[in-house]
Amino acid sequence: MAEYYNTCLLIDDNYIDNFVTSKLLANCNFAQNIVVRQSPAEAIDSLRDGSVKPDVIFLDLRMPVMNGFEFLQAFDKLDIDKNNIKIFILSSSLDPTDIKKSFDNKYITQFIHKPLTKKILDELAP
């Protein structure tokens, strides 16, 4: 089965969540390349230097040092082509403010509550 996307970037500070989500992405052939960054700052550096060129980003919101919304602010300032990058919030947050703030952000395609499932991935296929 062909992959849906070329490169998927997973940004989450939780090692276990990254392990489980990346295995699911691989098993579902969601993307040819799955790149994991455990901090938004590392992800920004990878995007800035061009070492990661994702079609899709799964972004957690609640992370230390730099949260998901701060990542989005830094992402906005990057001098890269953002037009073909889909960003999905992947969070366990039930805070209505987080959900509203996500929907109000021009880069966010969808808010997904953890855990990610095969059914959700099938719905995200282009």
Side-chain angles (χ1 to χ4, degrees):
M1 178 154 118
E3 290 85 4
Y4 296 133
Y5 296 100
N6 184 37
T7 301
C8 177
L9 175 59
L10 177 59
I11 308 168
D12 195 323
D13 64 311
N14 186 303
Y15 175 82
I16 299 297
D17 285 350
N18 284 334
F19 179 80
V20 171
T21 302
S22 63
K23 288 293 183 194
L24 177 67
L25 291 167
N27 290 341
C28 292
N29 293 315
F30 190 75
Q32 185 175 2
N33 305 299
I34 300 163
V35 179
V36 177
R37 294 293 182 261
Q38 283 195 251
S39 82
E42 288 175 24
I44 290 294
D45 289 343
S46 296
L47 293 166
R48 183 181 294 118
D49 69 18
S51 61
V52 177
K53 296 180 181 180
D55 306 293
V56 176
I57 297 174
F58 287 100
L59 175 65
D60 188 23
L61 289 180
R62 306 277 171 105
M63 294 177 280
V65 184
M66 177 186 272
N67 67 36
F69 293 116
E70 291 165 331
F71 167 86
L72 291 166
Q73 290 172 342
F75 179 81
D76 185 53
K77 295 174 184 168
L78 288 175
D79 186 24
I80 62 170
D81 181 13
K82 302 174 190 91
N83 293 325
N84 296 317
I85 301 174
K86 293 182 180 183
I87 301 178
F88 299 102
I89 297 297
L90 182 59
S91 178
S92 56
S93 174
L94 299 174
D95 184 342
T97 305
D98 286 346
I99 296 168
K100 180 180 180 336
K101 199 171 177 182
S102 296
F103 285 120
D104 290 344
N105 187 288
K106 66 182 178 183
Y107 296 114
I108 302 303
T109 302
Q110 187 174 335
F111 189 104
I112 301 167
H113 290 282
K114 288 182 182 177
L116 192 60
T117 64
K118 181 183 182 324
K119 181 177 186 277
I120 292 170
L121 287 178
D122 288 343
E123 292 169 2
L124 299 180

